[in-house]
Amino acid sequence: KQWYQRRVAITAGIEMQAITALAHLRACVVCVLDISEQCGYSLKQQCELFDNIKPLFANKPIIVALNKIDARKPEDLSQEEKNLLEETFKKNANVLVIPMSTLTQEGVSEVQNTACDALLAHRIEQKMAGNKVENILNRLHVAVPKASQEVRAPHIPQGVLARRVAGYVKPAEIRKLERDMELELGDDYILDLKKHYDLPNPDDKYDDIPEVWEGHNIADFVDPDIVTKLDELEKEEAMLEEAGVYESEDENLTEEQKDIREKAGLIRKEKAIIRHKHRLNKHSNRTPMSERVVRKKQGIKRARSISRMSQDESMEVDTKFQTKKVKPGRDVSGLRDAKMVKEVRKKMKKSQIKMNQFGKAGEADRHIAAKLPKHLFSGKRGAGKTDRR
């Protein structure tokens, strides 16, 4: 942290607590000084602040980082400022001074690596100073290999040596990556995965090869001798054509037979069109009828046919075409006329008024008995019966 932001005399309590907390940590302290004095405090004030807090970091590795060397180099400091830094760090022999710049990242990694190495060495020294090290050292054995006297020269192939003698220099080939092509072309870039295919004929790289054809895997039907077989098949087809196997019968027909065949084809086509139109208009000119209306019409047709058949005495009437007599409903069976039916229905509604007022269940209401009666399934259950409590 940059402790030079405030002097100790004017620091708040929380800042002093943060500084003194480092005294209880096993850490490496990195103190950052601003040699450009752009922070608002002079180099002298920062050195005084470092002298004040230095006693808190006794027996700890300390690194002083001279920051902002991009704005002001350590060589550009005045002689007075150089003497001030030398006197400040002479008092502290274990302090390492490293210049750095967080803007240009110069020296930042050096400060990090130095701090880690110093902390590791400090922790090893503390462990070596303890009493437990003696018991551990007795168990450790460091093996030191002996240097071999044999000279092992590097192996260089004879072909490489011959090229060197001939003065052959391999040109530096810079491989153009796909990422470079993408940055160069921008939106016009298209990833081409087929350009690196290693095929006997480079023109076959971009041929469309289906993986599945009519439900079959193409790879199952790959034949390495397909080219040879195809040549033989083409030769056989050429021989068949020369022999006149594929000559059509139409070539031997007369003009009259050709005319008859053409007219027959037109007639078949016209019939197919008429048949298709008839199927489309089959149900378009009819309105949908319910089953009841259909039965009524069927009954009227049957009655008409029976009346026509009765006029001819020589024809017998088939009883299966006679309409069935409709039976009366259960609510009107046993009643004389419509007046009596009306009175019965009026009395039935009047008898239901009192039951409807109290919301009582009638004989037509559905009743579901309780599947889990409360008096049998409430409370703690013991080891006895469950039919009563």
Side-chain angles (χ1 to χ4, degrees), residues 226-242 246:
I226 187 66
V227 178
T228 307
K229 294 180 180 179
L230 182 61
D231 295 338
E232 295 177 357
L233 184 61
E234 289 178 352
K235 292 179 181 179
E236 185 179 353
E237 289 293 326
M239 294 172 61
L240 291 175
E241 288 180 0
E242 293 177 359
Y246 297 117

Side-chain angles (χ1 to χ4, degrees), residues 54 59 117 119 139 150 157 162 177 181 187 194 346:
K54 174 64 176 62
N59 301 325
D117 296 340
L119 180 59
R139 304 175 187 175
E150 182 182 357
L177 303 177
M181 297 174 61
D187 295 337
K194 296 183 178 180
K346 187 176 180 180

Side-chain angles (χ1 to χ4, degrees), residues 257-272:
Q257 291 175 343
K258 290 181 179 179
D259 188 29
I260 292 173
R261 284 197 175 188
E262 186 178 354
K263 290 180 179 179
L266 293 175
I267 292 171
R268 283 194 295 269
K269 186 177 180 181
E270 243 357 273
K271 284 185 177 181

Side-chain angles (χ1 to χ4, degrees), residues 381-385:
R381 301 184 61 183
K385 297 182 179 180

Side-chain angles (χ1 to χ4, degrees), residues 161-178:
L161 293 174
R163 289 184 180 182
R164 287 184 181 179
V165 172
Y168 173 77
V169 179
K170 186 178 180 181
E173 298 179 358
I174 301 176
R175 183 182 176 187
K176 198 170 185 180
L177 303 177
E178 292 291 333

Side-chain angles (χ1 to χ4, degrees), residues 1-110:
K1 294 183 179 181
Q2 297 180 354
W3 306 116
Y4 56 81
Q5 291 182 356
R6 291 191 180 184
R7 298 184 63 182
V8 176
I10 60 174
T11 50
I14 187 64
E15 295 177 353
M16 197 61 195
Q17 288 180 10
I19 295 172
T20 53
L22 293 175
H24 303 282
L25 296 177
R26 298 172 60 186
C28 177
V29 181
V30 180
C31 181
V32 184
L33 298 183
D34 185 2
I35 61 175
S36 65
E37 299 182 350
Q38 294 178 359
C39 61
Y41 297 94
S42 63
L43 192 60
K44 183 178 179 181
Q45 292 175 337
Q46 298 178 50
C47 291
E48 290 177 358
L49 177 60
F50 177 74
D51 290 336
N52 290 332
I53 64 176
K54 174 64 176 62
L56 297 174
F57 309 139
N59 301 325
K60 284 183 173 56
I62 301 175
I63 296 176
V64 176
L66 302 179
N67 195 21
K68 297 186 181 179
I69 61 174
D70 57 305
R72 189 181 184 188
K73 299 287 184 181
E75 296 81 8
D76 299 339
L77 296 175
S78 63
Q79 189 62 35
E80 184 181 354
E81 291 174 340
K82 290 181 180 179
N83 295 336
L84 177 63
L85 291 176
E86 289 179 2
E87 291 176 1
T88 303
F89 301 133
K90 271 184 182 179
K91 304 173 186 178
N92 310 295
N94 59 340
V95 176
L96 299 175
V97 182
I98 302 174
M100 75 169 187
S101 172
T102 56
L103 181 63
T104 61
Q105 297 295 317
E106 181 182 356
V108 175
S109 59
E110 184 180 357

